[in-house]
Every structure is written in C-alpha cells, then in structure tokens.
Amino acid sequence: MRIEGKTVLITGAAKRIGAEFARAFATAGAAVIIHCRRSRPEAEALAAALPGAGLHRVLEADLAHPGAAEKLFAAAGRVDILVNNASLYCRSELAVAAPELDREHFEVNFWSPLELMRCFAAQPGLSEGAVINLVDQEALQVSPHGGAYALSRRALIDATLELARELGPRHLRFNAVAPGPVLPPVGLEHSKMEKTLPTVPLRRRVEPADLAAAVLFLAANDSITGAVLPVDGGQHL
Ligand SMILES: NC(=O)c1ccc[n+]([C@@H]2O[C@H](COP(=O)([O-])OP(=O)(O)OC[C@H]3O[C@@H](n4cnc5c(N)ncnc54)[C@H](OP(=O)(O)O)[C@@H]3O)[C@@H](O)[C@H]2O)c1
C-alpha cells in the first residue's frame, strides 16, 4: 500500500514516540491526524511543523472513558492507516487488587484500541487498510510486576491476531510492534531502564527512528498481516 496520499490516525502522537511516527508518516506524504489527551499545545505545534503543512489535524480525546474512541473515530472521518500508540503504563502486582487502575489500563490499552479497530473496519468502501498496534516486548514473556499493563498488552496482541484472520479477506491488515527500551516513562527518567540495557542482547536502547521505520514498513507491506514484530534490541529473548 502506498503511504503517500493516505490518512493516518495516530493516537497519543503529540510527543515522544508517537510524534516520531507522525513525522515519519508526514515525510512519506501522508495526512496525519494527531490524537492527544492533555498535550494539545505540543500536538498543534507538531502539526504546524510537519512536512505538508495544512494537511494535518489535531483531535483530543481521553481514551480512559468508555465511548471516547468511537467519538474520536467519528471526528477523524476517513482513515486508511490506524496506529494505536497511546498507552497507560504503571507497574503493579496482579495479586494486589487495584480495581480502578486495572480498569484504566484495560480502557486505554485494550478496549479503546479495539473500538478504534472496529470503527476502522466498519468504514464503508474501505478496500485496503492497515492497523499497527504498539504493544511491548514485555507482553511476549511473563515479567515480574507486569500486572494489568502487561495483561492489557497481551489482550491487544490477541485482538490483533484475531482481526488479522477475520478481516484479511477484505485486505485489511493488522500487525503489532513490540518495542523494548526506547524512552524512560514520563516521571521515571531515572528509572531502571538504564540499568536493564546491559541485559539487552544488543546492549543499546531502541532508536525512535528505528521504531518508526518498522511501523511504516508494516503499514506499506501488503503481504504482512498478523505479525508481532519485536523492535527491542533482542530484549524479549
Ligand atoms: N517508551 C518505551 O521505551 C516503550 C517501551 C515499550 C513499549 N512502548 C509502547 O510504545 C508506545 C509509545 O510509548 P511512549 O513511551 O511514547 O508512550 P507514553 O509517552 O507513555 O504515552 C503516549 C501518549 O499516550 C497518551 N495517553 C495516555 N493516557 C491516555 C488516555 N487516557 N487517553 C488518551 N491518550 C492517552 C498521552 O497523550 P497526552 O500527552 O496527550 O496526554 C501520551 O502522550 C506505547 O504504546 C508504549 O506502551 C514504549
């Protein structure tokens, strides 16, 4: 599928990794819909700075609220490529009850992406299209303190595979990218990410540009669906 001329909806795209995706798609000639929650000023500044100024839009939605994903998609209009990138990340232990946080993880990391994928697939006349779900290499193994975050990522992987199978005959493709250490979580800049790098086979963090190249590759390649691609320096091993 040609990226040029297509419309891409990227959730959580105002900054960090999502902004890298927005830059990569805009550079490839796509119109980008930058979804944000709290980072509207950053999203507007990004939209104005992208190549193809005037093509890009900003939409706001809190994806922790049931029903918000459907409204977001309705506001987006026609979408050829969907990148589910927004996420909530808090470490927890499954044995310790944290019902509100558990539900929020599932709303943001699973139910909203699933709802966006359903809306994407329900677009009339869509003869080709691609969805790329950002997950985490952590979901490919059983990690300590993965908690509801890792569970919600695993559920999104399963949904990716199931939709790939169900909707392949309509030439709608569903793939996932599982990053390793790219950027420390916000507020945890001195987290254990630096400490884990010596245990990563490639001994380096993942460059956001490498992640963006993987997402673009999956969006463009018409023969790939149902893939979960680790872009993690081998961390899942
Ligand atoms: N960073 C890493 O090293 C790493 C490692 C493994 C996997 N990943 C995955 O890669 C993707 C990007 O990572 P990242 O670190 O750039 O993500 P991030 O900064 O933690 O989150 C991206 C955006 O998600 C949005 N978001 C959070 N809660 C939301 C909600 N309730 N409703 C709507 N939007 C919400 C935020 O938008 P606003 O700022 O507008 O509020 C935020 O900017 C994520 O899916 C993440 O799980 C990242």
Side-chain angles (χ1 to χ4, degrees), residues 158-203:
D158 273 0
T160 307
L161 303 183
E162 201 163 322
L163 288 171
R165 206 173 164 116
E166 236 174 82
L167 297 171
R170 287 180 47 207
H171 302 145
L172 303 183
R173 297 180 293 104
F174 295 80
N175 293 294
V177 168
V182 191
L183 298 170
V186 175
L188 296 173
E189 283 75 11
H190 305 292
S191 73
K192 66 182 181 66
M193 197 177 109
E194 287 298 332
K195 287 184 220 143
T196 61
L197 290 181
T199 67
V200 173
L202 289 180
R203 302 285 193 272

mmCIF file of all heavy atoms in Angstrom, residues 158-203:
data_model
loop_
_atom_site.group_PDB
_atom_site.id
_atom_site.type_symbol
_atom_site.label_atom_id
_atom_site.label_comp_id
_atom_site.label_asym_id
_atom_site.label_seq_id
_atom_site.Cartn_x
_atom_site.Cartn_y
_atom_site.Cartn_z
ATOM 1 N N ASP A 158 -3.622 -10.433 21.115
ATOM 2 C CA ASP A 158 -4.611 -11.441 20.695
ATOM 3 C C ASP A 158 -5.652 -10.839 19.755
ATOM 4 O O ASP A 158 -6.029 -11.454 18.754
ATOM 5 C CB ASP A 158 -5.319 -12.044 21.913
ATOM 6 C CG ASP A 158 -4.541 -13.219 22.478
ATOM 7 O OD1 ASP A 158 -3.468 -13.534 21.914
ATOM 8 O OD2 ASP A 158 -4.988 -13.814 23.475
ATOM 9 N N ALA A 159 -6.103 -9.628 20.090
ATOM 10 C CA ALA A 159 -7.094 -8.973 19.222
ATOM 11 C C ALA A 159 -6.493 -8.689 17.848
ATOM 12 O O ALA A 159 -7.169 -8.838 16.819
ATOM 13 C CB ALA A 159 -7.574 -7.665 19.869
ATOM 14 N N THR A 160 -5.220 -8.306 17.818
ATOM 15 C CA THR A 160 -4.538 -8.035 16.538
ATOM 16 C C THR A 160 -4.563 -9.294 15.664
ATOM 17 O O THR A 160 -4.897 -9.241 14.475
ATOM 18 C CB THR A 160 -3.062 -7.634 16.800
ATOM 19 O OG1 THR A 160 -3.034 -6.560 17.732
ATOM 20 C CG2 THR A 160 -2.358 -7.216 15.522
ATOM 21 N N LEU A 161 -4.213 -10.432 16.282
ATOM 22 C CA LEU A 161 -4.135 -11.682 15.513
ATOM 23 C C LEU A 161 -5.522 -12.119 15.038
ATOM 24 O O LEU A 161 -5.699 -12.561 13.902
ATOM 25 C CB LEU A 161 -3.489 -12.779 16.363
ATOM 26 C CG LEU A 161 -2.081 -12.458 16.905
ATOM 27 C CD1 LEU A 161 -1.508 -13.645 17.664
ATOM 28 C CD2 LEU A 161 -1.135 -12.045 15.779
ATOM 29 N N GLU A 162 -6.505 -11.985 15.933
ATOM 30 C CA GLU A 162 -7.849 -12.427 15.574
ATOM 31 C C GLU A 162 -8.422 -11.574 14.433
ATOM 32 O O GLU A 162 -9.009 -12.103 13.481
ATOM 33 C CB GLU A 162 -8.751 -12.347 16.808
ATOM 34 C CG GLU A 162 -9.964 -13.223 16.674
ATOM 35 C CD GLU A 162 -10.634 -13.489 18.023
ATOM 36 O OE1 GLU A 162 -9.929 -13.654 19.038
ATOM 37 O OE2 GLU A 162 -11.866 -13.510 18.030
ATOM 38 N N LEU A 163 -8.235 -10.253 14.524
ATOM 39 C CA LEU A 163 -8.754 -9.379 13.465
ATOM 40 C C LEU A 163 -8.004 -9.601 12.156
ATOM 41 O O LEU A 163 -8.595 -9.500 11.067
ATOM 42 C CB LEU A 163 -8.682 -7.912 13.905
ATOM 43 C CG LEU A 163 -9.700 -7.530 14.981
ATOM 44 C CD1 LEU A 163 -9.414 -6.141 15.523
ATOM 45 C CD2 LEU A 163 -11.127 -7.580 14.430
ATOM 46 N N ALA A 164 -6.707 -9.907 12.252
ATOM 47 C CA ALA A 164 -5.930 -10.181 11.027
ATOM 48 C C ALA A 164 -6.548 -11.357 10.287
ATOM 49 O O ALA A 164 -6.682 -11.357 9.061
ATOM 50 C CB ALA A 164 -4.476 -10.474 11.387
ATOM 51 N N ARG A 165 -6.954 -12.362 11.056
ATOM 52 C CA ARG A 165 -7.542 -13.551 10.449
ATOM 53 C C ARG A 165 -8.945 -13.262 9.897
ATOM 54 O O ARG A 165 -9.292 -13.631 8.785
ATOM 55 C CB ARG A 165 -7.623 -14.640 11.520
ATOM 56 C CG ARG A 165 -7.601 -15.968 10.875
ATOM 57 C CD ARG A 165 -7.519 -17.136 11.761
ATOM 58 N NE ARG A 165 -7.910 -18.216 10.889
ATOM 59 C CZ ARG A 165 -7.128 -19.196 10.541
ATOM 60 N NH1 ARG A 165 -5.925 -19.276 11.007
ATOM 61 N NH2 ARG A 165 -7.573 -20.132 9.736
ATOM 62 N N GLU A 166 -9.722 -12.556 10.738
ATOM 63 C CA GLU A 166 -11.114 -12.281 10.364
ATOM 64 C C GLU A 166 -11.236 -11.371 9.144
ATOM 65 O O GLU A 166 -12.077 -11.581 8.284
ATOM 66 C CB GLU A 166 -11.767 -11.544 11.548
ATOM 67 C CG GLU A 166 -13.021 -12.179 12.100
ATOM 68 C CD GLU A 166 -13.455 -11.428 13.354
ATOM 69 O OE1 GLU A 166 -14.104 -10.369 13.253
ATOM 70 O OE2 GLU A 166 -13.126 -11.910 14.453
ATOM 71 N N LEU A 167 -10.375 -10.340 9.086
ATOM 72 C CA LEU A 167 -10.573 -9.278 8.093
ATOM 73 C C LEU A 167 -9.569 -9.307 6.947
ATOM 74 O O LEU A 167 -9.618 -8.446 6.055
ATOM 75 C CB LEU A 167 -10.570 -7.914 8.785
ATOM 76 C CG LEU A 167 -11.725 -7.754 9.796
ATOM 77 C CD1 LEU A 167 -11.570 -6.492 10.621
ATOM 78 C CD2 LEU A 167 -13.074 -7.745 9.076
ATOM 79 N N GLY A 168 -8.695 -10.332 6.951
ATOM 80 C CA GLY A 168 -7.747 -10.496 5.842
ATOM 81 C C GLY A 168 -8.444 -10.547 4.486
ATOM 82 O O GLY A 168 -7.992 -9.891 3.533
ATOM 83 N N PRO A 169 -9.548 -11.281 4.363
ATOM 84 C CA PRO A 169 -10.212 -11.369 3.054
ATOM 85 C C PRO A 169 -10.664 -10.016 2.507
ATOM 86 O O PRO A 169 -10.884 -9.873 1.321
ATOM 87 C CB PRO A 169 -11.420 -12.285 3.339
ATOM 88 C CG PRO A 169 -10.991 -13.116 4.498
ATOM 89 C CD PRO A 169 -10.145 -12.211 5.349
ATOM 90 N N ARG A 170 -10.780 -8.995 3.390
ATOM 91 C CA ARG A 170 -11.148 -7.642 2.912
ATOM 92 C C ARG A 170 -9.909 -6.771 2.674
ATOM 93 O O ARG A 170 -10.012 -5.563 2.495
ATOM 94 C CB ARG A 170 -12.056 -6.964 3.950
ATOM 95 C CG ARG A 170 -13.470 -7.581 3.940
ATOM 96 C CD ARG A 170 -14.358 -6.899 4.958
ATOM 97 N NE ARG A 170 -14.260 -5.454 4.872
ATOM 98 C CZ ARG A 170 -14.479 -4.612 5.888
ATOM 99 N NH1 ARG A 170 -14.838 -5.091 7.077
ATOM 100 N NH2 ARG A 170 -14.348 -3.324 5.720
ATOM 101 N N HIS A 171 -8.714 -7.399 2.727
ATOM 102 C CA HIS A 171 -7.441 -6.688 2.535
ATOM 103 C C HIS A 171 -7.212 -5.636 3.621
ATOM 104 O O HIS A 171 -6.611 -4.593 3.371
ATOM 105 C CB HIS A 171 -7.330 -6.063 1.141
ATOM 106 C CG HIS A 171 -7.468 -7.082 0.043
ATOM 107 N ND1 HIS A 171 -8.075 -6.831 -1.144
ATOM 108 C CD2 HIS A 171 -7.100 -8.381 -0.012
ATOM 109 C CE1 HIS A 171 -8.084 -7.921 -1.882
ATOM 110 N NE2 HIS A 171 -7.487 -8.884 -1.211
ATOM 111 N N LEU A 172 -7.727 -5.911 4.810
ATOM 112 C CA LEU A 172 -7.418 -5.062 5.966
ATOM 113 C C LEU A 172 -6.384 -5.826 6.784
ATOM 114 O O LEU A 172 -6.607 -6.989 7.143
ATOM 115 C CB LEU A 172 -8.677 -4.783 6.792
ATOM 116 C CG LEU A 172 -9.831 -4.142 6.027
ATOM 117 C CD1 LEU A 172 -11.003 -3.847 6.956
ATOM 118 C CD2 LEU A 172 -9.379 -2.860 5.314
ATOM 119 N N ARG A 173 -5.262 -5.186 7.051
ATOM 120 C CA ARG A 173 -4.146 -5.866 7.720
ATOM 121 C C ARG A 173 -3.957 -5.331 9.146
ATOM 122 O O ARG A 173 -4.114 -4.131 9.397
ATOM 123 C CB ARG A 173 -2.864 -5.695 6.906
ATOM 124 C CG ARG A 173 -2.968 -6.349 5.530
ATOM 125 C CD ARG A 173 -1.718 -6.203 4.710
ATOM 126 N NE ARG A 173 -1.462 -4.826 4.326
ATOM 127 C CZ ARG A 173 -0.554 -4.026 4.876
ATOM 128 N NH1 ARG A 173 0.228 -4.469 5.845
ATOM 129 N NH2 ARG A 173 -0.400 -2.786 4.472
ATOM 130 N N PHE A 174 -3.640 -6.233 10.044
ATOM 131 C CA PHE A 174 -3.489 -5.902 11.470
ATOM 132 C C PHE A 174 -2.174 -6.479 11.961
ATOM 133 O O PHE A 174 -1.979 -7.701 11.941
ATOM 134 C CB PHE A 174 -4.660 -6.503 12.274
ATOM 135 C CG PHE A 174 -5.985 -5.895 11.920
ATOM 136 C CD1 PHE A 174 -6.674 -6.315 10.780
ATOM 137 C CD2 PHE A 174 -6.536 -4.877 12.686
ATOM 138 C CE1 PHE A 174 -7.885 -5.740 10.429
ATOM 139 C CE2 PHE A 174 -7.754 -4.296 12.334
ATOM 140 C CZ PHE A 174 -8.437 -4.731 11.213
ATOM 141 N N ASN A 175 -1.278 -5.606 12.382
ATOM 142 C CA ASN A 175 0.018 -6.038 12.888
ATOM 143 C C ASN A 175 0.335 -5.300 14.184
ATOM 144 O O ASN A 175 -0.298 -4.284 14.502
ATOM 145 C CB ASN A 175 1.113 -5.748 11.846
ATOM 146 C CG ASN A 175 0.955 -6.613 10.601
ATOM 147 O OD1 ASN A 175 1.101 -7.832 10.663
ATOM 148 N ND2 ASN A 175 0.630 -5.996 9.469
ATOM 149 N N ALA A 176 1.317 -5.824 14.905
ATOM 150 C CA ALA A 176 1.730 -5.163 16.153
ATOM 151 C C ALA A 176 3.247 -5.003 16.159
ATOM 152 O O ALA A 176 3.976 -5.797 15.554
ATOM 153 C CB ALA A 176 1.284 -5.994 17.355
ATOM 154 N N VAL A 177 3.689 -3.971 16.839
ATOM 155 C CA VAL A 177 5.122 -3.754 17.062
ATOM 156 C C VAL A 177 5.349 -3.777 18.569
ATOM 157 O O VAL A 177 4.618 -3.116 19.315
ATOM 158 C CB VAL A 177 5.573 -2.407 16.446
ATOM 159 C CG1 VAL A 177 6.957 -2.032 16.926
ATOM 160 C CG2 VAL A 177 5.547 -2.482 14.927
ATOM 161 N N ALA A 178 6.325 -4.556 18.984
ATOM 162 C CA ALA A 178 6.602 -4.707 20.424
ATOM 163 C C ALA A 178 7.956 -4.069 20.747
ATOM 164 O O ALA A 178 8.996 -4.701 20.578
ATOM 165 C CB ALA A 178 6.607 -6.197 20.784
ATOM 166 N N PRO A 179 7.937 -2.801 21.193
ATOM 167 C CA PRO A 179 9.211 -2.133 21.480
ATOM 168 C C PRO A 179 9.856 -2.648 22.764
ATOM 169 O O PRO A 179 9.192 -3.160 23.670
ATOM 170 C CB PRO A 179 8.826 -0.660 21.667
ATOM 171 C CG PRO A 179 7.409 -0.533 21.223
ATOM 172 C CD PRO A 179 6.805 -1.885 21.387
ATOM 173 N N GLY A 180 11.166 -2.444 22.810
ATOM 174 C CA GLY A 180 11.919 -2.641 24.052
ATOM 175 C C GLY A 180 12.214 -1.280 24.638
ATOM 176 O O GLY A 180 11.379 -0.370 24.545
ATOM 177 N N PRO A 181 13.399 -1.074 25.219
ATOM 178 C CA PRO A 181 13.682 0.214 25.881
ATOM 179 C C PRO A 181 13.951 1.336 24.881
ATOM 180 O O PRO A 181 14.975 1.341 24.228
ATOM 181 C CB PRO A 181 14.949 -0.088 26.697
ATOM 182 C CG PRO A 181 15.569 -1.271 26.040
ATOM 183 C CD PRO A 181 14.495 -2.035 25.320
ATOM 184 N N VAL A 182 12.989 2.255 24.764
ATOM 185 C CA VAL A 182 13.145 3.399 23.852
ATOM 186 C C VAL A 182 13.393 4.661 24.670
ATOM 187 O O VAL A 182 14.442 5.284 24.592
ATOM 188 C CB VAL A 182 11.894 3.589 22.963
ATOM 189 C CG1 VAL A 182 12.183 4.586 21.857
ATOM 190 C CG2 VAL A 182 11.397 2.274 22.388
ATOM 191 N N LEU A 183 12.387 5.036 25.460
ATOM 192 C CA LEU A 183 12.474 6.230 26.315
ATOM 193 C C LEU A 183 11.979 5.847 27.702
ATOM 194 O O LEU A 183 10.979 5.133 27.820
ATOM 195 C CB LEU A 183 11.560 7.339 25.779
ATOM 196 C CG LEU A 183 11.850 7.895 24.382
ATOM 197 C CD1 LEU A 183 10.697 8.794 23.930
ATOM 198 C CD2 LEU A 183 13.147 8.679 24.390
ATOM 199 N N PRO A 184 12.619 6.345 28.768
ATOM 200 C CA PRO A 184 12.093 6.052 30.106
ATOM 201 C C PRO A 184 10.694 6.634 30.254
ATOM 202 O O PRO A 184 10.391 7.665 29.643
ATOM 203 C CB PRO A 184 13.067 6.771 31.051
ATOM 204 C CG PRO A 184 14.197 7.233 30.227
ATOM 205 C CD PRO A 184 13.768 7.240 28.785
ATOM 206 N N PRO A 185 9.833 5.988 31.045
ATOM 207 C CA PRO A 185 8.483 6.538 31.237
ATOM 208 C C PRO A 185 8.539 7.957 31.800
ATOM 209 O O PRO A 185 9.473 8.296 32.534
ATOM 210 C CB PRO A 185 7.853 5.582 32.270
ATOM 211 C CG PRO A 185 8.679 4.342 32.225
ATOM 212 C CD PRO A 185 10.062 4.754 31.811
ATOM 213 N N VAL A 186 7.530 8.779 31.449
ATOM 214 C CA VAL A 186 7.456 10.153 31.958
ATOM 215 C C VAL A 186 7.424 10.109 33.481
ATOM 216 O O VAL A 186 6.671 9.330 34.071
ATOM 217 C CB VAL A 186 6.194 10.866 31.410
ATOM 218 C CG1 VAL A 186 6.033 12.250 32.027
ATOM 219 C CG2 VAL A 186 6.263 10.950 29.889
ATOM 220 N N GLY A 187 8.229 10.934 34.099
ATOM 221 C CA GLY A 187 8.272 10.989 35.565
ATOM 222 C C GLY A 187 9.212 9.942 36.154
ATOM 223 O O GLY A 187 9.480 9.951 37.351
ATOM 224 N N LEU A 188 9.687 9.038 35.328
ATOM 225 C CA LEU A 188 10.607 7.995 35.819
ATOM 226 C C LEU A 188 11.899 8.031 34.985
ATOM 227 O O LEU A 188 12.428 6.993 34.580
ATOM 228 C CB LEU A 188 9.958 6.602 35.700
ATOM 229 C CG LEU A 188 8.716 6.351 36.558
ATOM 230 C CD1 LEU A 188 8.076 5.016 36.214
ATOM 231 C CD2 LEU A 188 9.106 6.346 38.047
ATOM 232 N N GLU A 189 12.378 9.253 34.720
ATOM 233 C CA GLU A 189 13.543 9.408 33.854
ATOM 234 C C GLU A 189 14.777 8.725 34.432
ATOM 235 O O GLU A 189 15.710 8.381 33.712
ATOM 236 C CB GLU A 189 13.835 10.891 33.590
ATOM 237 C CG GLU A 189 12.878 11.531 32.564
ATOM 238 C CD GLU A 189 11.477 11.804 33.115
ATOM 239 O OE1 GLU A 189 11.281 11.703 34.356
ATOM 240 O OE2 GLU A 189 10.571 12.098 32.305
ATOM 241 N N HIS A 190 14.776 8.526 35.769
ATOM 242 C CA HIS A 190 15.931 7.839 36.364
ATOM 243 C C HIS A 190 15.544 6.414 36.744
ATOM 244 O O HIS A 190 16.026 5.860 37.721
ATOM 245 C CB HIS A 190 16.442 8.624 37.574
ATOM 246 C CG HIS A 190 16.762 10.039 37.215
ATOM 247 N ND1 HIS A 190 17.811 10.364 36.399
ATOM 248 C CD2 HIS A 190 16.126 11.200 37.489
ATOM 249 C CE1 HIS A 190 17.827 11.673 36.200
ATOM 250 N NE2 HIS A 190 16.811 12.204 36.853
ATOM 251 N N SER A 191 14.652 5.856 35.944
ATOM 252 C CA SER A 191 14.141 4.523 36.244
ATOM 253 C C SER A 191 15.181 3.474 35.935
ATOM 254 O O SER A 191 16.321 3.765 35.573
ATOM 255 C CB SER A 191 12.898 4.248 35.411
ATOM 256 O OG SER A 191 13.285 4.023 34.077
ATOM 257 N N LYS A 192 14.747 2.219 36.021
ATOM 258 C CA LYS A 192 15.698 1.131 35.849
ATOM 259 C C LYS A 192 16.045 0.875 34.376
ATOM 260 O O LYS A 192 16.810 -0.020 34.081
ATOM 261 C CB LYS A 192 15.149 -0.143 36.484
ATOM 262 C CG LYS A 192 13.910 -0.719 35.823
ATOM 263 C CD LYS A 192 13.462 -1.941 36.595
ATOM 264 C CE LYS A 192 12.235 -2.572 35.956
ATOM 265 N NZ LYS A 192 12.433 -3.131 34.645
ATOM 266 N N MET A 193 15.506 1.704 33.457
ATOM 267 C CA MET A 193 15.767 1.418 32.042
ATOM 268 C C MET A 193 17.267 1.377 31.739
ATOM 269 O O MET A 193 17.743 0.461 31.077
ATOM 270 C CB MET A 193 15.077 2.454 31.163
ATOM 271 C CG MET A 193 14.955 1.990 29.719
ATOM 272 S SD MET A 193 14.074 3.148 28.673
ATOM 273 C CE MET A 193 15.436 3.731 27.703
ATOM 274 N N GLU A 194 18.022 2.369 32.261
ATOM 275 C CA GLU A 194 19.472 2.391 32.014
ATOM 276 C C GLU A 194 20.118 1.128 32.551
ATOM 277 O O GLU A 194 21.011 0.562 31.933
ATOM 278 C CB GLU A 194 20.111 3.621 32.674
ATOM 279 C CG GLU A 194 19.806 4.928 31.975
ATOM 280 C CD GLU A 194 20.335 4.989 30.537
ATOM 281 O OE1 GLU A 194 21.337 4.314 30.244
ATOM 282 O OE2 GLU A 194 19.701 5.688 29.719
ATOM 283 N N LYS A 195 19.612 0.688 33.722
ATOM 284 C CA LYS A 195 20.218 -0.496 34.361
ATOM 285 C C LYS A 195 19.945 -1.762 33.565
ATOM 286 O O LYS A 195 20.728 -2.704 33.612
ATOM 287 C CB LYS A 195 19.681 -0.664 35.792
ATOM 288 C CG LYS A 195 20.231 0.366 36.753
ATOM 289 C CD LYS A 195 19.742 0.070 38.157
ATOM 290 C CE LYS A 195 19.395 1.369 38.874
ATOM 291 N NZ LYS A 195 18.256 1.312 39.727
ATOM 292 N N THR A 196 18.812 -1.785 32.856
ATOM 293 C CA THR A 196 18.485 -3.022 32.126
ATOM 294 C C THR A 196 19.246 -3.117 30.797
ATOM 295 O O THR A 196 19.351 -4.214 30.242
ATOM 296 C CB THR A 196 16.967 -3.145 31.821
ATOM 297 O OG1 THR A 196 16.584 -2.044 31.009
ATOM 298 C CG2 THR A 196 16.126 -3.171 33.072
ATOM 299 N N LEU A 197 19.792 -1.979 30.311
ATOM 300 C CA LEU A 197 20.437 -2.020 28.991
ATOM 301 C C LEU A 197 21.565 -3.068 28.903
ATOM 302 O O LEU A 197 21.672 -3.746 27.873
ATOM 303 C CB LEU A 197 20.945 -0.638 28.581
ATOM 304 C CG LEU A 197 19.847 0.379 28.240
ATOM 305 C CD1 LEU A 197 20.454 1.706 27.819
ATOM 306 C CD2 LEU A 197 18.925 -0.141 27.144
ATOM 307 N N PRO A 198 22.384 -3.263 29.955
ATOM 308 C CA PRO A 198 23.426 -4.295 29.844
ATOM 309 C C PRO A 198 22.878 -5.713 29.688
ATOM 310 O O PRO A 198 23.609 -6.621 29.312
ATOM 311 C CB PRO A 198 24.198 -4.154 31.170
ATOM 312 C CG PRO A 198 23.908 -2.778 31.636
ATOM 313 C CD PRO A 198 22.518 -2.469 31.176
ATOM 314 N N THR A 199 21.573 -5.908 29.975
ATOM 315 C CA THR A 199 20.989 -7.250 29.816
ATOM 316 C C THR A 199 20.310 -7.431 28.453
ATOM 317 O O THR A 199 19.849 -8.516 28.118
ATOM 318 C CB THR A 199 19.923 -7.525 30.910
ATOM 319 O OG1 THR A 199 18.805 -6.656 30.686
ATOM 320 C CG2 THR A 199 20.473 -7.297 32.309
ATOM 321 N N VAL A 200 20.234 -6.339 27.687
ATOM 322 C CA VAL A 200 19.613 -6.416 26.357
ATOM 323 C C VAL A 200 20.659 -6.956 25.389
ATOM 324 O O VAL A 200 21.794 -6.459 25.370
ATOM 325 C CB VAL A 200 19.134 -5.000 25.918
ATOM 326 C CG1 VAL A 200 18.648 -4.993 24.487
ATOM 327 C CG2 VAL A 200 18.052 -4.511 26.865
ATOM 328 N N PRO A 201 20.337 -7.989 24.602
ATOM 329 C CA PRO A 201 21.352 -8.577 23.726
ATOM 330 C C PRO A 201 22.146 -7.562 22.895
ATOM 331 O O PRO A 201 23.360 -7.671 22.804
ATOM 332 C CB PRO A 201 20.542 -9.535 22.843
ATOM 333 C CG PRO A 201 19.448 -9.996 23.747
ATOM 334 C CD PRO A 201 19.088 -8.790 24.580
ATOM 335 N N LEU A 202 21.482 -6.557 22.320
ATOM 336 C CA LEU A 202 22.230 -5.585 21.506
ATOM 337 C C LEU A 202 22.870 -4.481 22.345
ATOM 338 O O LEU A 202 23.567 -3.615 21.802
ATOM 339 C CB LEU A 202 21.328 -4.973 20.424
ATOM 340 C CG LEU A 202 20.936 -5.921 19.278
ATOM 341 C CD1 LEU A 202 20.039 -5.199 18.263
ATOM 342 C CD2 LEU A 202 22.164 -6.478 18.563
ATOM 343 N N ARG A 203 22.660 -4.494 23.673
ATOM 344 C CA ARG A 203 23.309 -3.550 24.613
ATOM 345 C C ARG A 203 23.056 -2.086 24.250
ATOM 346 O O ARG A 203 23.916 -1.233 24.420
ATOM 347 C CB ARG A 203 24.831 -3.768 24.649
ATOM 348 C CG ARG A 203 25.253 -5.177 25.032
ATOM 349 C CD ARG A 203 25.076 -5.411 26.532
ATOM 350 N NE ARG A 203 25.746 -6.606 26.970
ATOM 351 C CZ ARG A 203 25.216 -7.832 26.968
ATOM 352 N NH1 ARG A 203 23.972 -8.022 26.522
ATOM 353 N NH2 ARG A 203 25.893 -8.867 27.409
#
